[in-house]
Amino acid sequence: MSTQAADSTIKIEARSEADLDPLGIGTPLPLDQVSSESDARPSSSKAPTYVKIYLQDDCLKHRFIRSRDTSSIVERPERLRAVKIGLAAAIARIEEAEGALKHSDANVSVEDELVAALGKMDIATSDARLIRARSISVTRSTATADLLDNAAVKYVHGDIDGDVYLQTLKAWARDSEDNIIKKGSEMPEGMPPLDLYLCPSSIDAIQGAIGAVCQAVDAVIASTSIDPSVVATGPQRAFVAVRPPGHHCGEDTPSGFCFVNNVAIGAAHAHLKHGIQRVVILDIDLHHGNGTQSIVWQINEETYRQTLESEQSPSESNAPPRTRGPQIFYGSIHDILSFPCEDGKVSFVQAASTSIHGSHGQYIENMHLQTYSSETHFWEVLYKEQYSTLLKRASQFLDGTGGPGDDVMVFISCGFDAGEHEYPSMSRHNRKVPTSFYHQFALDTCTFADIYARGHVVSVLEGGYSDRALSSGAMAHICGLVGDTVRVDERWWDLENLIKLEKATKSRKFGHPSQGTADLEPWLTRTSELLSHLDVYRTPPQPSRNWAPATSRALRERKKLSRNSSTPEVASKPGKDAQIPAPVSSSSLTSTSMSESEPVDSLSAKKLPRVILHVRPPEGTS
């Protein structure tokens, strides 16, 4: 950890967050922002909490390029589509609950609404908005944070001797293609080859994820003024849907799919830029956030040292007050039998079982997930008597350090892999939670934040690998962040409705969602429509790098047949299972990857259909 000062500016490469989407329903994206207008929200006796969802398309650039076989790769950027399905479904359900979802939506296809919207032609003055819910908006973030030129990143991952880890990380990604060709892997020897992977554009994904988190922090803190009587005009709460996750990454130790610690950096950004002195981090991922806890311990240790020095050697009466680091509470609910504790290594198990409050300046609480026999057992015993006490511990931390205040910020490290619909292979020990946990915990956390932190909550996506676990968890979580101003029905994410949701949003050929929505329920039609806007970009097709060298020769320009050969010469393959790459134009063959200076073009590249080549000798040859 480094306390060196640096430029903490978060660069936003498009329109500012204050700009509103001027386009009407059905207008095609990509857009920098999709947002609902405050004047379009219906009046209510109780003002709704404003929740903003942040998406970052650069996260799709983090890809596994070591080979085309990704069957053993658990963390993939495609997981974000399942999250977006859950977000779209939550928005549609909330619109329905607020009375903003028209029954006629069930009989209008996405294509019909697109034609109608384009037919108006007067886009700038259209009153229709993509998001009809008065309590939610969605932003496609273009913010990015330079790993080597950002104070919050350096605060968490820097070193007093320099940015050794950060420079090394960028070098790993930069040289990934060459190292795969030379050594067979882009990662150093000794690192888990399936948990950790990089490609040249992974740095864009990592920096974009950090940028989106910091942008959310800025917006949430700016939403309320010092005067508590002033109505909030911005989002009091935010959900940041980014990958790769971060909570396993320590100061200089990437682990468990994580290369930087997104939440810890967000907390550091809140401290350095906005003067937040007390931070609460609540981790509800299936796995213990060993990286976050390690970073929190170091920060608290440094702050405690500063406090002791200040008490032992008081400053002059006219001297400016000494600056101190933040105090952070880290609380986690996790499976002690799963990663990183699965092998029973004593240091990991001890860390994941630590409970310390105040001594040595540390505020850590760890709770272990238990199996439950019924919903009643979960809610009446496990949640009521155990899991909910995590917030009580956080309350004790804040009460003991000054009580409620403007200097408090709440973060949720929100993994959905503890959900009941996670893959059995990921949740091998049956330590799960029902989907409604993500709704209730968000509600309780927001109530806690309303008391202590002016309502400021930033939730950041961590793990979750089954599509159903991700979509159901995201749906329930967003409904919880909105709060009790919307009547939520937990049947929205029961199994029957989840199956309907999956059928309505199933990706067809070339990535388009399933068609024929005329017979769907209104919320499903609306979900499909919203998804067509939220899920605009696709993961770029993976080029073949290590066994098909780049060439400027088109297919028909290959060498003539030799006398002893019955087939044209082609690039050799490393194994029997390798596939011949699909042909592309000669101009595109001059480069094996898109330019990193053109992120929109690389993200919008369409996947070529699979082509099977039958190569025969030309006529007249022997």
Side-chain angles (χ1 to χ4, degrees):
M1 183 189 73
S2 172
T3 57
Q4 298 177 8
D7 180 14
S8 60
T9 302
I10 303 299
K11 299 177 182 178
I12 302 178
E13 300 175 345
R15 291 177 292 191
S16 67
E17 189 169 87
D19 294 336
L20 293 173
D21 170 25
L23 302 185
I25 303 265
T27 306
L29 299 180
L31 291 176
D32 300 321
Q33 184 178 43
V34 184
S35 180
S36 57
E37 290 240 56
S38 58
D39 58 8
R41 301 171 194 156
S43 59
S44 172
S45 59
K46 186 175 182 180
T49 299
Y50 182 14
V51 178
K52 178 163 282 191
I53 298 168
Y54 287 82
L55 308 176
Q56 171 55 277
D57 294 312
D58 276 353
C59 292
L60 299 176
K61 295 181 178 181
H62 178 57
R63 295 174 289 111
F64 180 79
I65 63 170
R66 208 174 299 151
S67 76
R68 294 196 175 192
D69 180 11
T70 59
S71 59
S72 300
I73 304 304
V74 177
E75 169 56 26
R76 308 176 193 176
E78 292 85 354
R79 306 289 186 204
L80 288 170
R81 184 177 189 273
V83 176
K84 292 173 183 176
I85 289 173
L87 299 177
I91 295 170
R93 286 295 200 179
I94 290 170
E95 288 178 345
E96 187 176 49
E98 291 180 349
L101 185 58
K102 298 174 290 188
H103 290 290
S104 60
D105 289 337
N107 300 317
V108 181
S109 67
V110 176
E111 290 80 4
D112 290 339
E113 288 205 344
L114 172 60
V115 172
L118 292 177
K120 294 179 181 178
M121 297 305 292
D122 190 8
I123 294 176
T125 60
S126 173
D127 292 330
R129 301 293 172 183
L130 178 61
I131 307 297
R132 302 172 191 167
R134 59 193 174 122
S135 51
I136 295 181
S137 70
V138 181
T139 288
R140 176 164 282 115
S141 174
T142 57
T144 183
D146 190 334
L147 292 182
L148 301 180
D149 189 27
N150 181 272
V153 177
K154 289 172 176 283
Y155 191 88
V156 173
H157 295 291
D159 187 88
I160 57 175
D161 296 325
D163 303 318
V164 177
Y165 170 65
L166 298 173
Q167 292 173 345
T168 302
L169 175 59
K170 295 193 79 169
W172 286 343
R174 182 195 64 220
D175 302 334
S176 57
E177 291 176 334
D178 290 340
N179 285 330
I180 288 172
I181 295 173
K182 294 176 182 177
K183 302 184 297 183
S185 176
E186 75 282 11
M187 299 306 301
E189 186 176 353
M191 290 192 175
L194 300 181
D195 288 1
L196 297 172
Y197 63 84
L198 289 166
C199 69
S201 56
S202 290
I203 295 301
D204 292 338
I206 292 168
Q207 295 184 154
I210 297 170
V213 171
C214 294
Q215 186 180 13
V217 169
D218 292 342
V220 166
I221 292 178
S223 68
T224 53
S225 65
I226 300 300
D227 185 358
S229 63
V230 177
V231 178
T233 57
Q236 298 103 303
R237 302 162 189 172
F239 177 70
V240 189
V242 291
R243 286 287 179 89
H247 72 150
H248 291 306
C249 184
E251 177 186 350
D252 57 359
T253 51
S255 174
F257 316 135
C258 308
F259 291 93
V260 297
N261 199 300
N262 300 319
V263 167
I265 292 172
H269 179 75
H271 167 66
L272 296 172
K273 184 173 181 179
H274 301 285
I276 296 297
Q277 288 297 115
R278 292 175 294 162
V279 176
V280 171
I281 299 175
L282 304 169
D283 193 332
I284 56 175
D285 192 275
L286 173 68
H287 308 97
H288 179 238
N290 55 311
T292 305
Q293 181 171 308
S294 173
I295 291 168
V296 166
W297 191 284
Q298 293 179 71
I299 292 174
N300 283 341
E301 184 178 42
E302 176 64 16
T303 301
Y304 186 60
R305 182 191 64 79
Q306 294 169 352
T307 301
L308 292 178
E309 289 180 352
S310 177
E311 293 174 349
Q312 293 172 1
S313 56
S315 59
E316 300 291 336
S317 58
N318 59 348
R322 297 179 180 178
T323 58
R324 298 181 188 176
Q327 295 173 293
I328 306 178
F329 171 89
Y330 174 75
S332 174
I333 306 173
H334 55 267
D335 177 16
I336 191 65
L337 300 177
S338 291
F339 180 88
C341 306
E342 194 162 32
D343 295 332
K345 189 173 181 179
V346 61
S347 59
F348 288 124
V349 174
Q350 287 178 343
S353 306
T354 298
S355 177
I356 182 171
H357 301 278
S359 299
H360 305 289
Q362 299 298 337
Y363 305 91
I364 308 290
E365 180 67 16
N366 284 289
M367 294 183 180
H368 300 162
L369 285 168
Q370 305 295 324
T371 58
Y372 63 94
S373 57
S374 65
E375 292 270 339
T376 301
H377 175 230
F378 179 86
W379 292 111
E380 295 299 323
V381 179
L382 296 180
Y383 189 83
K384 184 177 181 180
E385 298 179 4
Q386 296 183 38
Y387 304 156
S388 63
T389 60
L390 194 69
L391 291 170
K392 294 180 181 178
R393 287 295 197 180
S395 299
Q396 293 169 2
F397 157 68
L398 292 174
D399 287 336
T401 55
D406 292 327
D407 66 333
V408 180
M409 188 87 184
V410 179
F411 289 86
I412 302 176
S413 270
C414 191
F416 296 121
D417 42 2
E420 60 185 305
H421 301 299
E422 185 53 88
Y423 291 131
S425 58
M426 180 60 66
S427 185
R428 292 184 292 277
H429 310 289
N430 203 32
R431 265 64 174 178
K432 300 180 180 180
V433 298
T435 303
S436 292
F437 166 82
Y438 298 107
H439 172 249
Q440 187 62 50
F441 189 84
L443 276 174
D444 293 344
T445 299
C446 291
T447 299
F448 167 85
D450 288 343
I451 296 172
Y452 287 98
R454 302 291 301 280
H456 296 161
V457 177
V458 173
S459 180
V460 181
L461 179 65
E462 294 286 358
Y465 306 96
S466 155
D467 284 355
R468 184 173 291 176
L470 285 166
S471 59
S472 62
M475 184 181 183
H477 188 62
I478 289 298
C479 290
L481 290 178
V482 168
D484 57 6
T485 57
V486 174
R487 188 181 298 275
V488 172
D489 187 342
E490 294 185 359
R491 291 175 297 181
W492 290 352
W493 47 80
D494 66 18
L495 184 58
E496 180 182 355
N497 281 319
L498 290 178
I499 293 174
K500 292 179 182 178
L501 178 63
E502 290 162 6
K503 289 181 179 179
T505 58
K506 184 177 181 180
S507 182
R508 301 295 186 183
K509 193 174 183 180
F510 306 123
H512 296 300
S514 57
Q515 303 298 315
T517 60
D519 297 330
L520 296 177
E521 298 171 42
W523 73 274
L524 289 170
T525 301
R526 180 67 173 144
T527 297
S528 183
E529 176 192 359
L530 290 166
L531 182 63
S532 68
H533 292 264
L534 301 183
D535 191 40
V536 174
Y537 295 110
R538 295 287 172 183
T539 306
Q542 176 187 323
S544 176
R545 300 184 186 280
N546 53 340
W547 64 78
T551 175
S552 60
R553 298 173 64 86
L555 182 63
R556 59 176 172 269
E557 293 174 338
R558 293 183 178 182
K559 294 180 180 179
K560 295 181 180 180
L561 295 172
S562 63
R563 292 185 178 182
N564 298 325
S565 174
S566 60
T567 59
E569 294 180 15
V570 296
S572 61
K573 298 179 290 185
K576 64 180 181 178
D577 295 328
Q579 298 178 357
I580 298 176
V584 294
S585 65
S586 59
S587 60
S588 64
L589 283 170
T590 60
S591 175
T592 59
S593 64
M594 302 286 262
S595 171
E596 289 186 11
S597 65
E598 299 175 353
V600 174
D601 290 341
S602 63
L603 281 172
S604 59
K606 295 182 178 179
K607 184 177 180 181
L608 293 173
R610 183 181 178 186
V611 177
I612 300 176
L613 298 179
H614 297 281
V615 182
R616 299 182 178 86
E619 294 182 3
T621 62
S622 56

